[in-house]
Amino acid sequence: MKIDLPSGDPAVQGWRRRLDALDLGLRTGDVPAKKYPRLRQEALAELGKALIAPHLEPGEQWAGEHHLVLGHLNLPLSALKETALRAESLYLTDRRLFRWRFQDRTVPEAGGLDDWEETLEVRRLSELAGVRRRYAWRWGEAAAGAAILGLALLLWDHLQITGWALALLGAAAAVHGRAIPSRWAEIVPRNPREPGWPVRAAGKKSGRRLLALLPRAEAGPSPREG
């Protein structure tokens, strides 16, 4: 269920100002470039909590959180132009699970994504059937590897130095895409008409901790084409 984003909340405004200050500090050199990503991610994590805080029930306690960047929906229009990345944060309390989806501008100059809307959603733990492991074959990677291998063989006589490297790269990609599927977890709702919430990077410490606190669904991964 979607819930409102409390943009006018003082705590929310404070963390947004903190993010603006970090961007300004990066431009002026007051914030070192090496520290900027960590400081920004810490501020984003606190911003997510500030967005959720007005919706918490009396006595509701934080239990865990998991943050991940999903990447681009599509290739950027220009290779020289930075664009925002899709990002998700999961916040678990002792009663509910919240999901905040937003655009993560990894650098101040990054452009926005027109087709990615910031949303805040919530589900009660009683509405969750559990966590199920999923996997998908990397058909796109396998096809790209096969294409590279075919190109290397086709141009073998003209690629005296790079032929072997291209052939090995293509073969490795084809084997990797076909033999090693991508894996993730899915938080499954009790209502079969509602979509599950995929959890990428579930092997991270924060992901393992959060998923361990949720009920377990019936075992058995579900293969899908990717």
Side-chain angles (χ1 to χ4, degrees):
M1 178 180 69
K2 286 187 178 181
I3 54 180
D4 294 333
L5 290 159
S7 57
D9 184 84
V12 171
Q13 292 178 338
W15 283 110
R16 292 198 186 279
R17 286 194 297 270
R18 170 60 176 163
L19 288 166
D20 291 339
L22 286 174
D23 288 347
L24 178 61
L26 181 65
R27 294 191 186 99
T28 60
D30 294 330
V31 176
K34 290 185 178 180
K35 293 184 178 181
Y36 174 80
R38 176 180 59 82
L39 295 174
R40 189 172 188 281
Q41 289 305 312
E42 290 175 354
L44 281 172
E46 293 302 321
L47 172 59
K49 283 187 175 181
L51 291 169
I52 294 169
H55 298 283
L56 294 179
E57 300 171 348
E60 191 170 5
Q61 301 293 322
W62 298 110
E65 58 189 78
H66 178 52
H67 312 283
L68 60 150
V69 176
L70 304 176
H72 292 289
L73 283 166
N74 300 300
L75 291 175
L77 296 177
S78 171
L80 300 178
K81 181 181 178 181
E82 293 281 356
T83 55
L85 301 176
R86 297 177 296 149
E88 288 185 0
S89 289
L90 295 171
Y91 294 90
L92 179 67
T93 72
D94 56 351
R95 304 175 192 176
R96 295 180 290 175
L97 180 65
F98 294 83
R99 180 171 72 166
W100 176 39
R101 310 175 80 193
F102 61 98
Q103 298 185 33
D104 187 356
R105 291 178 170 83
T106 55
V107 292
E109 297 78 15
L113 298 170
D114 295 333
D115 48 359
W116 185 251
E117 180 184 2
E118 182 179 7
T119 59
L120 186 61
E121 302 166 273
V122 63
R123 283 176 174 166
R124 289 197 170 273
L125 298 186
S126 59
E127 298 173 345
L128 303 179
V131 178
R132 193 169 281 139
R133 299 293 171 174
R134 302 291 195 186
Y135 68 85
W137 299 110
R138 309 170 193 260
W139 293 111
E141 181 181 344
I148 294 173
L149 176 59
L151 181 64
L153 295 177
L154 182 64
L155 302 177
W156 189 263
D157 293 338
H158 303 282
L159 301 174
Q160 298 179 0
I161 299 177
T162 58
W164 278 105
L166 277 177
L168 290 174
L169 176 63
V175 171
H176 184 269
R178 187 62 186 88
I180 305 177
S182 60
R183 301 178 184 275
W184 71 97
E186 182 180 22
I187 301 172
V188 183
R190 293 188 182 277
N191 187 345
R193 293 191 295 266
E194 294 182 356
W197 285 359
V199 182
R200 307 287 178 174
K204 290 176 58 178
K205 182 179 179 180
S206 60
R208 294 196 307 270
R209 178 182 176 185
L210 184 143
L211 294 176
L213 297 174
L214 297 175
R216 306 297 296 181
E218 183 180 350
S222 174
R224 298 179 181 179
E225 292 188 0

